[in-house]
Amino acid sequence: MHKISINFSQKWLKILKEILISSTSTIVFFFLDFLDVLFCMLFKFMDEFLEGKGSHCYFSIDDNEASEFSSSSLYKRGNLFRRNNVVRRRKMNENVRWSDCSCVNCVSWMRNDGEELKLHVVVKQPERANAQDFKGKKAQNIVFLHGFLSSSSFWRETIFPNLSEDANKKYRLFAVDLLGFGKSPKPNNCLYTIKDHVEMIESSVIHPFELNSIHIVAHSMGCVVALALAAKHSHSVKSITLIAPPYITSTKEDVSLTALNKLAARRLWPPLLFGSSFMSWYEHLGRCICYIICKHHRIWEGILKWLTWNRNLHFMAIDLTRHTHHSAWHTMHNVICGGAKFMDKYLETLRLAKVKINVIQGSRDQVVPVECSNNVKMKVPDAEVKIVDNADHTSIVIGREKDLCDDLEELWGSQYVRNGNSTS
């Protein structure tokens, strides 16, 4: 009887907790809806005053204006104080905006004026080898794609130093700064669609290095880009490893909005989810945060160095500010949310091409639901899915680098690759 009473009390506490979180979230997000409208007007005024022409938000775009690769989550997000179809959005210019950082590091990609934009790519050659050895040959090439608000440092600082001696002799590694992040270009006249990301990887990595045989490793948001790239080059891809892939399925017509509500639900708890929802739902409040944090990143980095007495900040703290609001906002919606409508097609292409798919995710991931990995298994029964106990969205890589390297090397060196050929 006592045990039943305890279970009953725990059940009601859980219900009361949910009611409290839901009701508080409703009030807070009601206020944020209103606040975002105010900041919309503020930024419109500031843009017109400082740049000569005001800009308008995505609530002013008609459904018919969106391109095939644009996400409906950009202009169908709910806001109690807005209505669609007011004015048309102007095309952004290519110059650095007043609300973006213009320090040497952040605008380094603009130095080669007139030249074709290229992504920043970190290349690690096999020991005692040079680039010419691989031209046009079926070399063991590994392409790494990072997640949201990250850069090539994510792989350079974790996987690269922990590969075995044998792997360092066999594989050529490419860690890419995706378009709009890290040291890569951040043009303001780009919508950062999946197509944009894939084409930049092709022109910066695939074509220049003549990669005709590759393995792909991607984390979080990078998984969406990786699947698009792999599906387009399915004849060249031997395996793809997806770490915490945001693969959302839905029976509803607009899966992009489903992805937005699933990955960035309007809730105060847990805090990580609130942060995601704040930056994903509120275009102008998010721009305000980027103005405070990203534009003045050198000040914040100086404060962190002073507080921690450490001249070398953790790479994740640095990567967090290496983007513009324009690049992050559009990548969030056009890749993570908008990519949801293409994922089934990408996975089906890889299934038919018999590309080896490996999925790894932490059981305590609060950013991407674990069901996303299970969704991949349901779509592609031959995919291998590994759920790591007590690992979250970041610690699935950081903190278990050696284990992950062992898993990757086993996959790359296995006999189970496309057409059953050995990768050795």
Side-chain angles (χ1 to χ4, degrees):
M1 189 69 179
H2 180 65
K3 185 176 181 180
I4 294 175
S5 177
I6 292 176
N7 291 335
F8 182 78
S9 299
Q10 290 177 340
K11 180 181 178 181
W12 273 103
L13 282 174
K14 187 176 181 180
I15 293 174
L16 289 174
K17 178 184 175 182
E18 180 60 30
I19 292 174
L20 179 62
I21 293 175
S22 298
S23 58
T24 307
S25 296
T26 301
I27 295 171
V28 170
F29 281 96
F30 177 86
F31 171 73
L32 291 176
D33 282 351
F34 176 70
L35 200 60
D36 196 54
V37 175
L38 295 182
F39 273 88
C40 174
M41 293 185 287
L42 172 64
F43 278 116
K44 181 180 178 181
F45 170 79
M46 293 297 293
D47 290 343
E48 190 166 352
F49 179 75
L50 295 172
E51 298 177 349
K53 192 173 183 179
S55 58
H56 300 286
C57 67
Y58 271 99
F59 280 102
S60 62
I61 290 185
D62 192 303
D63 291 17
N64 296 324
E65 292 185 70
S67 70
E68 176 190 357
F69 295 96
S70 294
S71 172
S72 58
S73 63
L74 279 168
Y75 48 87
K76 286 187 178 180
R77 292 167 290 119
N79 187 307
L80 297 174
F81 300 94
R82 292 179 178 274
R83 302 185 72 176
N84 289 344
N85 312 327
V86 181
V87 287
R88 290 180 178 269
R89 185 182 182 89
R90 72 182 179 93
K91 186 176 180 179
M92 306 290 289
N93 60 59
E94 297 183 6
N95 299 321
V96 178
R97 308 203 71 188
W98 66 269
S99 54
D100 296 333
C101 181
S102 58
C103 73
V104 175
N105 289 329
C106 290
V107 299
S108 59
W109 61 273
M110 299 177 66
R111 292 174 185 168
N112 298 324
D113 191 32
E115 294 185 13
E116 183 183 1
L117 295 180
K118 296 288 186 181
L119 299 178
H120 175 74
V121 183
V122 176
V123 183
K124 184 179 180 183
Q125 298 284 2
E127 295 176 3
R128 297 185 298 278
N130 58 68
Q132 194 61 36
D133 293 335
F134 298 95
K135 286 287 186 177
K137 297 180 181 179
K138 289 189 175 181
Q140 294 298 294
N141 302 299
I142 320 293
V143 177
F144 293 86
L145 304 181
H146 61 79
F148 194 56
L149 304 185
S150 188
S151 77
S152 56
S153 299
F154 186 78
W155 304 111
R156 191 181 69 242
E157 299 289 338
T158 57
I159 300 302
F160 284 23
N162 288 285
L163 289 171
S164 67
E165 183 178 349
D166 183 57
N168 283 321
K169 293 178 180 178
K170 291 168 57 178
Y171 303 117
R172 181 169 56 158
L173 314 178
F174 298 85
V176 181
D177 280 2
L178 292 174
L179 183 66
F181 299 93
K183 296 180 181 179
S184 283
K186 305 170 183 66
N188 280 323
N189 63 340
C190 176
L191 293 179
Y192 295 87
T193 62
I194 294 178
K195 183 173 181 286
D196 293 327
H197 283 284
V198 169
E199 288 179 351
M200 284 298 289
I201 294 173
E202 288 176 327
S203 63
S204 303
V205 184
I206 304 297
H207 299 324
F209 291 94
E210 299 180 16
L211 304 188
N212 52 24
S213 176
I214 59 175
H215 298 273
I216 302 176
V217 180
H219 176 244
S220 191
M221 174 206 78
C223 295
V224 183
V225 180
L227 284 170
L229 180 68
K232 190 173 181 179
H233 298 272
S234 57
H235 61 286
S236 300
V237 177
K238 292 190 172 183
S239 76
I240 181 170
T241 300
L242 307 173
I243 303 174
Y247 175 42
I248 304 296
T249 59
S250 175
T251 55
K252 297 180 180 179
E253 183 179 348
D254 202 335
V255 69
S256 297
L257 282 178
T258 302
L260 177 64
N261 285 299
K262 198 83 170 180
L263 300 172
R266 290 158 60 101
R267 289 175 61 88
L268 292 177
W269 196 265
L272 199 58
L273 180 60
F274 173 67
S276 297
S277 60
F278 183 93
M279 297 302 291
S280 301
W281 286 84
Y282 299 110
E283 182 178 358
H284 308 289
L285 293 178
R287 185 179 173 188
C288 181
I289 296 299
C290 285
Y291 173 75
I292 295 172
I293 304 296
C294 299
K295 181 178 176 64
H296 303 95
H297 68 87
R298 289 172 295 176
I299 296 175
W300 294 109
E301 288 168 7
I303 293 173
L304 283 175
K305 289 178 181 179
W306 180 74
L307 290 175
T308 59
W309 290 80
N310 189 349
R311 294 178 61 86
N312 298 315
L313 294 178
H314 194 277
F315 69 89
M316 291 186 68
I318 296 175
D319 287 344
L320 194 62
T321 62
R322 294 300 194 270
H323 64 274
T324 64
H325 174 258
H326 184 80
S327 67
W329 173 261
H330 286 86
T331 298
M332 170 65 196
H333 286 279
N334 288 336
V335 174
I336 299 178
C337 297
K341 59 187 177 184
F342 302 113
M343 295 280 273
D344 285 345
K345 181 177 69 175
Y346 297 152
L347 286 169
E348 180 64 14
T349 299
L350 297 181
R351 184 186 70 81
L352 294 175
K354 297 182 180 180
V355 173
K356 178 65 176 176
I357 300 176
N358 193 37
V359 182
I360 305 174
Q361 189 170 7
S363 63
R364 300 179 64 181
D365 195 328
Q366 292 185 331
V367 178
V368 175
V370 177
E371 68 184 71
C372 290
S373 292
N374 297 326
N375 290 340
V376 176
K377 183 68 174 178
M378 292 177 64
K379 181 65 180 177
V380 185
D382 289 337
E384 290 189 10
V385 177
K386 180 178 182 179
I387 305 300
V388 180
D389 290 337
N390 299 318
D392 59 28
H393 196 68
T394 303
S395 63
I396 190 64
V397 177
I398 299 177
R400 56 180 304 274
E401 292 88 347
K402 290 298 295 182
D403 290 338
L404 181 57
C405 284
D406 290 342
D407 290 339
L408 292 174
E409 289 181 39
E410 182 180 355
L411 173 66
W412 299 336
S414 70
Q415 298 294 315
Y416 189 75
V417 292
R418 187 182 178 206
N419 294 330
N421 296 323
S422 173
T423 63
S424 299

